[in-house]
Amino acid sequence: MKIAVIGTGYVGLVTGTCFAETGNKVTCVDIDINKVNKLKKGEITIYEPGLEKLFLRNLKENRLQFTTNLEEGVRDAAIIFLALPTPPGEDGSADLKYILGVAEDLGKLIKAGEYKVIIDKSTVPVGTAEKVKAAILMSSSKSSTGAGDIADAFDVVSNPEFLREGVAVDDFMKPDRVVIGTKSERARKVMGELYAPFVRQGNPVIYMDERSAELTKYAANSFLATKISFMNEIARLCEKLGADVDMVRRGIGSDERIGKRFLFPGIGYGGSCFPKDVQALVKSSSDVNYNFEILNAVMKVNEDQKLHLLPAIKDYFKNNLKGKKFALWGLAFKPNTDDIREAPALYLIEALTKEGATVSAFDPEAMSNVKNTIGDKIEYTSNQYEALKNADALIIATEWNEFRTPDFDQMKTLMKNKVIFDGRNLFDLAAIRALGFYYKSIGRETVN
Ligand code: NAD
């Protein structure tokens, strides 16, 4: 099949590459000319495990192409994915200007008699498929070259994406489920054929109406965010009551109804999805006069949790962080990605530097993104140990695997003080006690 993917970021590039991998001919369109030029030359623009190999293979086989020209991208495509940003607007709602802008442009390009399926892959509020359809029709009717009545020439489908950064290729190639929102039989058939290679093991393709599909994505992310904030509150309680959150986590996670995943406490969720999606669902709810009480609490807990370690850090240094040097391990919002959107590490950097402290940071993939955002506000080091030189304390913000079993002897010789504030609970309490570190983690006894 001939596919166009509009927007070549995390979702668009993975989507385009994976559809090319199953034999389709894919053209990815992006307005960012630098990005497109790099991709054309075979330079991958995001870090995502396993993606580069597939990307290069499909580029070489000519199944994957890149352009900044929308018309060229969609000309032969029977299937058009919108993988565009939906950032939070000022009031928290998802800003649809990218989606609706492209929909208007498509209205001028769609011709009667050349059926196309247009698919919202972006995370969009309930009712967006209808808005996209209206925008296409409106702009087609205004267009001088447009064919006028193109109502039968396209369908708009909601097909939310559930991939997780860090394991995006696996998630896309072997999805737990594919959700397809459409009332059109014709579009349903096209979508079923397109996804058939990805669900050969029998994972379900769940068909529903557009509105339910749009809400499904928000409900999924909001539920997961709720699980995280719930566990972070349990962790806070553990600290006050002298319980160990790791034990509680194991105790509840073995109950099938609860499940083991998403029960790890930490310094809050970040990334490009959970914060904005929870906020957008709260806004959608208030738009229909519904106060989504649980999600308001989820957001509040998460805001506070990002700086949960700060009082302990200040306490340790007797409320004076001026001139203190902090080593920071981890900048990405989670491991195996270079994405720093809403990363808790950035909030910590802001708070520490405001108090007059300096920060020396290492992250295996995210340093250049941070440098592009905050410049030389902090020092960047070429490995995790260099960051520790003369540090008054180490703070761990991201659970990269390479931080899990570090060389503690080397750490002791490099650091000024043997002090660790761990926002991701990486180390065993007994082991760290034997090594003689002061160690504050989340929801567990402080070792001192
Ligand atoms: P992104 O910011 O990484 O990528 C968006 C791309 O769209 C950028 O490359 C940008 O240059 C391009 N773009 C903007 N305007 C354009 C236009 N008019 N024409 C062509 N290209 C244009 O965003 P993302 O993380 O890929 O997210 C895209 C959508 O998918 C969002 O709605 C997001 O909520 C959703 N989503 C993201 C993830 C994730 O893990 N990142 C997972 C599931 C769903």
Side-chain angles (χ1 to χ4, degrees), residues 105-397:
D105 294 341
L106 288 175
K108 295 170 202 144
L109 300 171
I110 292 172
K111 296 190 182 86
E114 292 177 15
Y115 179 69
K116 293 188 195 294
V117 183
I118 293 155
I119 302 148
D120 282 336
K121 187 118 241 18
S122 300
T123 302
V124 291
V126 173
T128 301
E130 290 148 40
K131 287 186 181 162
V132 168
K133 185 170 183 180
I136 293 173
L137 288 174
M138 173 72 84
S139 112
S140 163
S141 67
K142 279 195 211 149
S143 152
S144 54
T145 52
D149 187 10
I150 54 159
D152 294 332
F154 73 99
D155 279 305
V156 180
V157 172
S158 166
N159 170 222
E161 181 49 58
F162 298 97
L163 65 76
R164 294 162 297 166
E165 287 177 19
V167 280
V169 173
D170 253 15
D171 280 351
F172 199 95
M173 296 304 282
K174 290 174 257 163
D176 288 341
R177 81 307 207 179
V178 176
V179 169
I180 294 173
T182 180
K183 290 194 271 307
S184 153
E185 268 311 310
R186 196 172 178 189
R188 181 188 164 121
K189 194 165 168 287
V190 173
M191 296 300 287
E193 280 170 24
L194 181 65
Y195 275 105
F198 300 88
V199 291
R200 286 166 52 86
Q201 285 176 353
N203 288 353
V205 178
I206 306 168
Y207 294 95
M208 55 183 81
D209 62 279
E210 298 82 347
R211 286 184 163 245
S212 303
E214 288 163 341
L215 188 54
T216 297
K217 172 67 191 178
Y218 283 105
N221 275 359
S222 298
F223 186 78
L224 293 170
T226 303
K227 236 177 149 180
I228 294 173
S229 278
F230 177 83
M231 273 318 280
N232 283 335
E233 286 217 275
I234 292 289
R236 291 182 198 172
L237 206 53
C238 284
E239 288 174 6
K240 290 190 183 294
L241 295 176
D244 184 324
V245 75
D246 259 355
M247 299 301 133
V248 178
R249 172 177 65 76
R250 286 181 204 193
I252 63 172
S254 46
D255 183 329
E256 270 184 3
R257 293 169 303 174
I258 296 172
K260 293 186 178 59
R261 297 166 77 183
F262 268 78
L263 293 183
F264 290 83
I267 47 172
Y269 60 77
S272 66
C273 293
F274 287 1
K276 91 171 163 60
D277 293 350
V278 174
Q279 208 183 2
L281 188 53
V282 168
K283 178 67 173 69
S284 291
S285 309
S286 80
D287 286 347
V288 287
N289 296 321
Y290 183 72
N291 177 18
F292 208 136
E293 293 184 55
I294 290 178
L295 290 185
N296 279 311
V298 167
M299 289 196 291
K300 171 80 174 72
V301 169
N302 197 58
E303 273 319 294
D304 297 345
Q305 196 68 15
K306 286 180 192 162
L307 293 179
H308 181 68
L309 285 175
L310 198 64
I313 295 172
K314 281 173 128 175
D315 243 27
Y316 185 89
F317 291 105
K318 304 200 167 37
N319 260 327
N320 183 11
L321 302 186
K322 204 159 185 212
K324 296 281 178 293
K325 175 182 170 177
F326 290 93
L328 178 61
W329 283 3
L331 294 167
F333 85 91
K334 67 173 184 178
N336 298 319
T337 180
D338 59 355
D339 197 339
I340 57 158
R341 291 177 281 190
E342 292 295 316
L346 299 184
Y347 288 79
L348 275 168
I349 289 171
E350 183 60 33
L352 293 169
T353 52
K354 217 164 144 192
E355 299 271 340
T358 61
V359 175
S360 197
F362 173 74
D363 187 285
E365 295 295 337
M367 288 196 294
S368 63
N369 280 346
V370 173
K371 206 166 187 178
N372 288 339
T373 313
I374 61 166
D376 291 330
K377 193 170 190 167
I378 59 168
E379 187 196 3
Y380 305 89
T381 63
S382 53
N383 65 61
Q384 70 202 70
Y385 296 103
E386 207 187 311
L388 298 173
K389 274 185 200 156
N390 239 358
D392 290 281
L394 163 66
I395 301 173
I396 301 173

